[in-house]
Amino acid sequence: MRVLLAGATGAIGRQMLPLLLSAGHTVVGTSRSASGVAAIRAAGADAVRLDVFDRDATSGRSPTPDPTR
């Protein structure tokens, strides 16, 4: 399953990311910082730099759903 993990470098996201990956899921994680994006990628997931409180930056940034996956 393809999973979007908002806050992948936060308190809960840090714990969830390896669990989701080890269960075989494809994960796209979000982080507000470049270092967070690097950490998500190092863990083996795709990453998007995103601050959900920045409306202008958030608009149009979510991954495009792919119904074939």
Side-chain angles (χ1 to χ4, degrees), residues 1-42:
M1 177 181 290
R2 190 165 169 91
V3 177
L4 173 63
L5 181 59
T9 57
I12 296 171
R14 278 194 312 263
Q15 304 299 315
M16 290 297 302
L17 183 58
L19 295 173
L20 289 166
L21 291 169
S22 67
H25 299 292
T26 300
V27 179
V28 177
T30 69
S31 179
R32 291 182 285 174
S33 68
S35 61
V37 167
I40 294 166
R41 289 182 178 149

